[in-house]
Amino acid sequence: MDASEFVRGLGDTIVAASSAPGIGSRAIVRLSGPRAPEIVHRWYLPASTERTVRSLRRGVTRGQFVLGRSGTAIPVMVLVMRAPSSYTGEDQVEIHLPGHPRFVEMVQDLCERRGARPAAPGEFSLRALFHGKRDLARIEAVGALIQARDRDELRAAIDILEGRLSRGVARANEEIQSILQPLELGFDFSDQDIEIEIPDDAVPRLVALATTLRGLVADQGRWRPSRARPQILLVGPPNAGKSSLFNALTHDGSALVSPHAGTTRDVLEGTVDLEGFRAQATLLDTAGEGFLGGEADDLAHALRVRAAAKADLLLRVTDGRRMAEGASRSRRRGANEIEVFTHADLVPASARPESSSLWVSNTTKEGLAELRAALGEALRTMNRPGSIGDISRRHGSLLTQTAQAIERAARGLEDGLGAELIAADLHEALRILSGLTGAEPTQELLTRIMSTFCVGK
Ligand SMILES: Nc1nc2c(ncn2[C@@H]2O[C@H](COP(=O)(O)OP(=O)(O)OP(=O)(O)O)[C@@H](O)[C@H]2O)c(=O)[nH]1
Ligand SMILES: [Mg+2]
């Protein structure tokens, strides 16, 4: 769906399951749009005849949802909200039903038969944005909340949802407007030889505002402590040198190393400093891949799989001697995977296959600095779209640019620049700030939200 399709589709009534897929105790089918009450009314039998969906202004009604002409009915609770007092700002109906995928499918299907259209990913939230019910920062936080991986990420997303950032931005907006106003009033009389009165306190107010905004940027930084320490997971066959590399890279980790395959079983954690990367990362050592089927191997395998799901980056370790012997690379590397070859001390440079660039020796420490740099680079460029880390970075960058424009305006005032130039900087500041809250249905915004949200949110 592109921006114009989205806008054209605003009159449609949309429907989607907004609970997690699969079997659960309850599922929710959500409708939004002018025909939502009408559509649900058609299939809904209230327990009390006064509480039909059509007659209800707002509130809950219990009854049965009739699954087509056969007359089969399932018990449901229906929540009715009317424009503009709903999440989307439109008439909205939620059907809470027993959580079986088959029921969800049938209910959705019946709603579609009465004219509802399946919602696109994030379309409910986009409607909330365009009806002015939520600002962009909070909408993005909904997406970040859904994909939060730990408590820190959850807390950070909830913080934005609760409006801390939005309030700061709204205050900044007002302050800029109030400084702009007297400047712009002056423009109207500029041909009448009237001196434009610039309030004495404009410079200190602008400086204070820039400081506040930079404070918000610092907050953004505090919001991603867990992902300021991204996780890198060592994987590879037994005996490849993973634990030796773990010991060489971390300054607080200590793993057992032995010539026997299958030494490591647990997942071990250590801290690694990365060149070119603002922070430290957590390095995790795991059991070698390719297990033998014993109970401990199965457990070690399960632990590694679980850790891999949470990791930001996989560091695939291969014994370089195998490459030198002409072994082919086992498989393609994923986007969040880096490959490294150990035993560089035993493989002369001339015997190394050209395509494999990263070689280290855990014995002589050759290549470790390059590896750190490569890890730092990979983490810097990698960002899960729509995650709290991703949106905080975007927010941080917009807030910094706003502060810079305000500081330019303050310097301009001190240097006695013309009011027009100062006003231009302040307008620029307002424009950048609107990127945090803005409701312009730009293609970029739509693509961003739709690609990071799921259907039903
Ligand atoms: N010469 C040399 N020996 C290495 C290097 N890296 C590891 N080794 C040796 O290789 C053997 C296996 O190393 P480990 O670090 O235990 O390998 P691992 O991948 O952790 O093995 P598992 O835990 O069994 O999966 C040990 O005897 C290490 O001393 C290296 O770069 N050069
Ligand atoms: Mg090991």
Side-chain angles (χ1 to χ4, degrees), residues 237-244 256-264 287-288 342-343 345-346 360-363:
N239 247 357
K242 299 179 296 300
S243 299
S244 306
L256 273 184
V257 166
S258 90
H260 301 292
T263 303
T264 307
T342 55
H343 295 79
D345 49 307
L346 301 179
V360 295
S361 165
N362 295 315
T363 317

